[in-house]
């Protein structure tokens, strides 16, 4: 059956190593959307929204749900810690949101259990091979999904089958915890009792996601797919092994949400005006300690989930170009421009030098990347306050030049510019339209 027009759908993805300000961007875009969908990751994500001066951090529920009347779906590709979800639902309820109507959960999303968190933490405690994970059980849960032994949200309904599958898992994981990690075993009875309670709480929210989204698209609903993490944390196209365990890139939308590629309308990449990452792994443009401290303080660069200090560096156009291609970004949103307001000079990495070779594409292997030295272009800082500026032409000339150069280097237009954490501190450029 031929479709008359492309549905009004937008994918929002992180271009760097996460924390680009996706939460804020999605919250603002949500005003014009009906349904918001998370398609991967779990409560390793921390998406900050500041509405009416109050901060709300989303971990599992899509970031647009502070607006009344919106519906948020957690798709198949999401891994759900029910304890974290129930807590988030109650925090939203306290903000006056009708959670009973607003939150939908795909029956095929996998559940995170206490043994996943224990295994994540136990592996991280071993000094060699540490990834600096959030210890939320994300990796071990996706391992069980791929090993075909995981339990899904839909399993909660059939208590007998659920109990049997859970017992097999608890028995196996207890052996692992005791024999390999020298940890205490978990009690099946305790885990089972808690998850039965969660099952009762979550039951009214469960849907079959492909049908839910098919009907929504047929009814002309406007849908935003919210990526968690970022391109460089993608399991396939990030800085493996220093990545998360899901496809954070736009390719993850189809399987993670339950929609065909033909319904994807536009893709917006979110990028900071500089770079950050939390956890271990390469960060080619990482600042020297002095600059690190200054930007971390000004940008409040501490993890929204774990509170860990984020590592900071200059804008890396090699990373951004890689992300624009792999996600198919039509445009990008640049956030946190204001954090650079006081800099005398600013640098952009335009390529890497590997010995005598100049590299413009992100290296596929980490050995090459480890040898690479960034090549920088230097820009004059603007040394004035950009927070609250409401149009491009009102930005200082030096800030305009900086942004124009980024646009040129990534070959797609900048659609949104954010100069502060509040909703109002963001403006669109003429290139922007939602669908
Ligand atoms: P996400 O994971 O991509 O949603 O980003 P986080 O919420 O983890 O981190 C982004 C942080 O930057 C949050 O504390 C936001 O409130 C803040 N933020 C977002 N946009 C801006 C901006 O333009 N300027 C400043 N100064 N802060 C911003
Ligand atoms: P949002 O959605 C930044 C990082 C962790 C670690 C690696 C693997 O807020 O941008 P995991 O717990 O996923 O197994 O950890 O991924 N990480 C994030 N970094 N923002 C995030 O999410 C992240 N989610 C995971 O720090 O390096
Ligand atoms: Mg975050």
């Amino acid at each position: 059956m031929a479709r008359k027009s492309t549905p009004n759908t937008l994918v929002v993805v992180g271009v760097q190593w996460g924390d680009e300000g996706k939460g804020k961007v999605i919250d603002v875009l949500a005003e014009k959307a009906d349904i918001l969908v998370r398609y991967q990751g779990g409560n390793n994500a921390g998406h900050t929204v500041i509405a009416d001066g109050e901060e709300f951090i989303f971990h599992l529920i899509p970031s647009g749900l502070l607006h009344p009347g919106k519906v948020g779906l957690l798709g198949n590709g999401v891994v759900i810690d029910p304890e974290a979800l129930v807590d988030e639902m109650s925090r939203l309820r306290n903000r006056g949101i009708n959670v009973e109507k607003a939150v939908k959960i795909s029956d095929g999303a996998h559940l995170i259990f206490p043994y996943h968190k224990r295994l994540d933490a136990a592996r991280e405690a071993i000094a060699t091979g540490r990834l600096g994970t959030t210890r939320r059980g994300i990796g071990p849960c996706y391992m069980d999904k791929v090993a075909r032994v995981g339990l899904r949200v839909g399993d909660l309904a059939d208590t007998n089958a659920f109990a049997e599958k859970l017992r097999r898992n608890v028995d196996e994981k207890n052996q692992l915890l005791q024999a390999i990690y020298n940890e205490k075993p978990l009690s099946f009875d305790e885990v089972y009792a808690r998850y039965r309670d969660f099952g009762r709480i979550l039951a009214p929210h469960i849907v079959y996601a492909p049908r839910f989204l098919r009907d929504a698209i047929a009814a002309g609903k406007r849908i935003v797919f919210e990526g968690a993490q970022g391109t460089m944390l993608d399991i396939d196209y990030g800085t493996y092994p220093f990545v998360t365990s899901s496809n954070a890139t736009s390719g993850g939308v189809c399987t993670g949400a339950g929609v065909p590629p033909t319904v994807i309308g536009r893709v917006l990449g979110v990028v900071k005006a500089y770079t950050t990452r939390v956890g271990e792994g390469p960060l080619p443009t990482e600042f020297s300690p002095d600059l690190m401290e200054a930007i971390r303080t000004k940008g409040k660069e501490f993890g929204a989930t774990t509170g860990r200090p984020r590592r900071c560096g200059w804008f890396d156009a090699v990373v951004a170009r890689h992300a624009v291609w792999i996600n198919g970004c039509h445009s990008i949103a640049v956030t946190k421009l204001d954090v650079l307001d006081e800099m005398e000079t600013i640098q952009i990495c335009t390529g890497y030098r590997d010995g005598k070779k100049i590299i413009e594409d992100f290296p596929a292997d980490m050995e090459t990347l480890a040898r690479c030295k960034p090549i920088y272009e230097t820009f004059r800082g603007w040394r004035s306050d950009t927070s609250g500026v409401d149009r491009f032409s009102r930005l200082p000339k030096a800030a305009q030049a900086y942004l124009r150069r980024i646009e040129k280097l990534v070959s797609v237009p900048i659609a949104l510019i954010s100069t502060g954490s509040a909703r109002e501190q963001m403006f669109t450029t003429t290139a922007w339209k939602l669908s």
Side-chain angles (χ1 to χ4, degrees), residues 19 45-47 304 310:
D19 304 327
H47 298 169
R310 295 175 182 148

Side-chain angles (χ1 to χ4, degrees), residues 361-411:
D361 285 328
F362 197 79
D365 67 290
M366 292 304 104
E367 288 70 34
T368 309
L369 184 63
R371 289 195 308 268
C372 283
K373 300 271 173 287
I375 302 167
Y376 288 116
E377 267 177 29
T378 303
F379 291 76
R380 201 162 45 81
W382 41 94
R383 313 213 71 190
S384 61
D385 187 4
T386 59
S387 56
V389 171
D390 60 358
R391 74 180 65 157
F392 191 83
S393 60
R394 291 194 179 142
L395 283 171
K397 288 281 174 284
Q400 292 186 19
Y402 180 68
L403 293 168
R404 285 286 177 234
R405 184 63 183 136
I406 288 178
E407 222 168 28
K408 189 119 200 282
L409 284 164
V410 302
S411 307

Side-chain angles (χ1 to χ4, degrees), residues 18-24 45-50 55 57 63 226 229 270 272 274 298-305 310 334-339 417-422 425:
D19 304 327
E20 296 91 348
K22 301 176 294 293
K24 177 195 160 158
H47 298 169
T48 315
V49 173
I50 298 182
E55 182 181 87
I57 300 181
S63 305
E226 172 178 11
Q229 290 80 54
V270 184
K272 264 179 200 167
Y274 49 99
K298 170 98 172 141
K300 300 197 180 82
E301 293 297 357
F302 295 90
T305 296
R310 295 175 182 148
V334 177
T335 63
K336 304 193 93 160
L337 185 70
D338 55 299
V339 176
I417 296 168
S418 172
T419 60
S421 53
Q425 291 171 312

Side-chain angles (χ1 to χ4, degrees), residues 316-389:
D316 188 333
V318 183
V319 164
R321 271 197 299 266
H322 166 68
V324 162
W325 163 249
I326 208 84
N327 292 296
C329 297
H330 294 89
S331 56
I332 55 171
V334 177
T335 63
K336 304 193 93 160
L337 185 70
D338 55 299
V339 176
L340 301 179
D341 281 353
E342 285 149 35
M343 304 299 296
E344 245 169 77
T345 55
I346 299 171
Q347 308 212 82
I348 293 181
C349 165
T350 56
Y352 300 150
R353 197 182 300 281
D354 175 16
K356 286 194 174 133
K357 261 200 327 220
I358 291 184
I359 297 181
E360 287 186 345
D361 285 328
F362 197 79
D365 67 290
M366 292 304 104
E367 288 70 34
T368 309
L369 184 63
R371 289 195 308 268
C372 283
K373 300 271 173 287
I375 302 167
Y376 288 116
E377 267 177 29
T378 303
F379 291 76
R380 201 162 45 81
W382 41 94
R383 313 213 71 190
S384 61
D385 187 4
T386 59
S387 56
V389 171

